[in-house]
Amino acid sequence: IWVEINGTSVKNDNREIVGTLGIVSDISDKILERQELEKQKKIIDAVAYCNEIFLTMEDFEAALNEVLDIIREASGVDRVCIYENFEKDGELFSSQKLESCSVGIKPHLSDPDFQNIPYKKAGFERWIDLFSKGGVIFGNVDELPDHGKELLRSLGLKSIVAIPIFLSGKWWGFLALDEFNADRKWLSVEIDALKKASSGIGHGMENWLAKKHLKKNQEDLVHLFEFAPTGMELKDINGK
């Protein structure tokens, strides 16, 4: 409980202090509101900087790693990572692709327990439906309704936020924020800001893939001209 104390002295007719009068006010709501706004601002500022990174860095994987570092520091979690979906024999799986860990947190990028996770068999069938509709998973692991929370417990997770990443309107994977050392109450302002971060990552990926595709087309065109057996001429749709 946060309190604010305002006091004043009480004097008699001779102007002598004979006591004090104080008012104690509960300002917990004001403090919590201020803290929420500060957390939201940190994450929003991080998202804005992340968007700038995507526009300026040529090495996209390096940009993503820096983005995860920024989100982790702004949100104050133990780990931030990205999982990518893939299908095999008609079943949907997810594998961890990138991560950023706080000091003292063991990286799990090369841990097989964090790779090739089958959504349905692992108890995360609800996630498929929720993520595909743009929903978010968040809360303390012990309070999650999924059967898969047993797997999350075995991996050492205490609390989690998982937000879908979309590429060109298709659910591609998800952004996860993990707490290993303690439970955490996730604020609505934090979740809203993190959804913007996830959206920014998706747009960054789309732009990078578009640039990569354009570069390949340009290289293919140059290769075609260099090795064409006869001369070639380019014209626009008007024949010019």
Side-chain angles (χ1 to χ4, degrees):
I1 296 177
W2 294 85
V3 297
E4 181 179 66
I5 301 176
N6 293 295
T8 186
S9 58
V10 178
K11 300 179 180 179
N12 60 20
D13 294 339
N14 295 323
R15 308 294 294 174
E16 298 172 333
I17 297 176
V18 295
T20 57
L21 176 66
I23 299 176
V24 180
S25 304
D26 184 349
I27 58 170
S28 298
D29 290 341
K30 290 182 179 180
I31 295 296
L32 289 174
E33 183 180 356
R34 185 187 305 164
Q35 290 176 340
E36 289 183 8
L37 291 174
E38 288 174 352
K39 288 180 179 180
Q40 183 188 42
K41 185 178 184 303
K42 282 184 178 179
I43 299 175
I44 289 177
D45 289 346
V47 171
Y49 183 51
C50 291
N51 291 335
E52 182 180 335
I53 290 174
F54 283 136
L55 293 174
T56 57
M57 290 186 68
E58 293 294 330
D59 186 336
F60 185 72
E61 184 170 328
L64 265 182
N65 280 315
E66 185 170 346
V67 164
L68 294 188
D69 286 341
I70 293 169
I71 293 174
R72 175 180 55 77
E73 292 171 3
S75 59
V77 297
D78 292 326
R79 186 183 68 159
V80 178
C81 49
I82 290 177
Y83 285 81
E84 181 180 0
N85 296 335
F86 68 94
E87 288 190 13
K88 182 180 179 182
D89 299 326
E91 187 171 359
L92 188 61
F93 292 77
S94 185
S95 284
Q96 185 178 310
K97 292 300 180 183
L98 294 170
E99 72 175 343
S100 171
C101 298
S102 298
V103 175
I105 299 299
K106 179 184 176 182
H108 291 90
L109 191 57
S110 59
D111 188 335
D113 288 336
F114 288 78
Q115 305 297 324
N116 306 317
I117 302 173
Y119 279 97
K120 290 184 179 180
K121 290 182 179 179
F124 301 113
E125 186 170 2
R126 182 176 72 99
W127 292 28
I128 298 176
D129 181 62
L130 194 62
F131 281 162
S132 62
K133 296 177 181 177
V136 177
I137 301 290
F138 68 94
N140 296 323
V141 170
D142 288 339
E143 299 169 357
L144 295 177
D146 309 278
H147 296 299
K149 65 184 178 183
E150 298 300 329
L151 173 61
L152 298 179
R153 280 200 199 102
S154 71
L155 298 176
L157 295 177
K158 294 287 188 180
S159 192
I160 186 174
V161 171
I163 305 171
I165 297 173
F166 288 86
L167 295 188
S168 302
K170 182 180 179 181
W171 174 39
W172 176 89
F174 63 92
L175 173 71
L177 290 85
D178 302 329
E179 291 282 12
F180 287 93
N181 295 315
D183 290 344
R184 175 167 175 165
K185 179 183 178 182
W186 297 97
L187 305 174
S188 60
V189 291
E190 291 179 296
I191 301 301
D192 290 342
L194 291 170
K195 287 169 71 174
K196 290 182 174 66
S198 177
S199 177
I201 289 173
H203 289 312
M205 287 184 176
E206 289 176 358
N207 292 335
W208 176 74
L209 289 172
K211 290 179 181 178
K212 185 178 179 181
H213 181 68
L214 178 61
K215 183 178 179 181
K216 185 179 184 305
N217 286 344
Q218 291 172 336
E219 290 173 348
D220 289 344
L221 186 59
V222 170
H223 182 80
L224 184 63
F225 270 96
E226 288 178 347
F227 294 95
T230 58
M232 296 184 66
E233 181 182 3
L234 286 180
K235 293 184 177 182
D236 60 23
I237 59 174
N238 297 315
K240 298 179 180 180

